[in-house]
Amino acid sequence: SIEISKLHPSMSSCCPDGSLPALQEDTSRTLAGVVENKYYYVAPPEASTMGILVIYDVFGFSGGRIKSVCDSLALATNAHVCMPDVYDGTEINAKGGFGNTEAMAWLKSVTEFSTLSKLLEPGLECLKAKGATKIGAIGFCWGVYGVVKLAAEPGLLSVAVGCHPSLKIGDMFFQESEDSQAANVKCPLCIMPAGNDPDMYRPTGSIPKIVQANGIECKSIDFPEMQHGWVPRGDASQPAVARDVLKAIEEAVAFFKKYLA
């Protein structure tokens, strides 16, 4: 079982103080998708022209229940879902963890968007090959940085979603402030901050206001009882966590349907 009280060291972390640690991969479920060509792909229940790109958190391709989240999105949205393994089989703890010089150098190298965009390309190409004509993206923690960068590319995404965002990674590595990242978003954005995420992500915070000021919908849904990281790695045996994992997925599905259908 996971120790909810166990916290990340805050130094050099992309996550705020009080964030959830890695959750052992959930191998108890039968997955609906397939792992191939360094990505996880889930087919929709019925024919669909909707596609969703998933960018995981710093705990990677096998972190917690991230593949089950992909399954839920495909089933509930009736979309093609693809999650590329941009870390190529590794993750932050395998590299030495936050605060480790080599680990942080590695994380910076894969976060740099000229590299990250190439690593995400197989996922986008998979969705297009499966027949997706409208594509959305969802990220978790570190992955929201990549989603917001993709959302800044004209005409690439129709919609973007970020759960417990860690846009501070752009500021930490590349001196890209969170507000400047938000200012470049060109498609509707839904963000879902946890209780210990910065106030800038909340409904009255700077991130939604900046996106909205550009005439683009930005919906912020606050989850005050949750810790950063709850969607893929919160302890779902706790009723409140199970409730808010489900709620976050339902909110993401509704936002995707609004702009992909």
Side-chain angles (χ1 to χ4, degrees), residues 230-251:
W230 91 90
V231 178
R233 58 185 200 260
D235 182 356
S237 69
Q238 297 186 8
V241 175
R243 175 200 70 203
D244 280 359
V245 168
L246 182 62
K247 182 185 176 189
I249 292 172
E250 287 175 343
E251 293 285 1

Side-chain angles (χ1 to χ4, degrees), residues 107-195:
L107 187 61
K108 181 177 181 179
S109 72
V110 293
T111 306
E112 208 288 314
F113 192 61
S114 63
T115 298
L116 180 59
S117 60
K118 292 184 179 70
L119 296 171
L120 292 171
E121 191 61 33
L124 292 167
E125 290 303 317
C126 164
L127 294 172
K128 292 173 187 174
K130 299 293 186 181
T133 56
K134 281 188 175 181
I135 293 175
I138 184 170
F140 302 87
C141 314
W142 170 88
V144 183
Y145 173 77
V147 166
V148 166
K149 294 293 278 188
L150 291 176
E153 300 286 311
L156 180 60
L157 297 182
S158 297
V159 58
V161 177
C163 296
H164 30 86
S166 285
L167 296 182
K168 69 176 275 190
I169 200 83
D171 194 29
M172 196 165 86
F173 286 147
F174 312 116
Q175 292 73 57
E176 299 172 6
S177 72
E178 291 95 327
D179 285 356
S180 70
Q181 293 172 54
N184 290 323
V185 167
K186 294 179 175 63
C187 70
L189 174 66
C190 176
I191 51 175
M192 303 185 221

Side-chain angles (χ1 to χ4, degrees), residues 27-90:
T27 55
S28 65
R29 306 170 193 239
T30 301
L31 295 171
V34 291
V35 176
E36 58 186 15
N37 302 322
K38 294 186 180 177
Y39 56 68
Y40 181 67
Y41 168 74
V42 194
E46 300 172 9
S48 176
T49 57
M50 298 184 287
I52 298 172
L53 182 79
V54 177
I55 309 181
Y56 49 54
D57 63 17
V58 287
F59 300 109
F61 196 61
S62 298
R65 59 180 155 266
I66 192 64
K67 292 188 181 79
S68 293
V69 170
C70 294
D71 290 357
S72 297
L73 289 170
L75 180 64
T77 315
N78 193 48
H80 302 273
V81 174
C82 188
M83 179 175 69
D85 187 10
V86 295
Y87 292 170
D88 196 15
T90 191

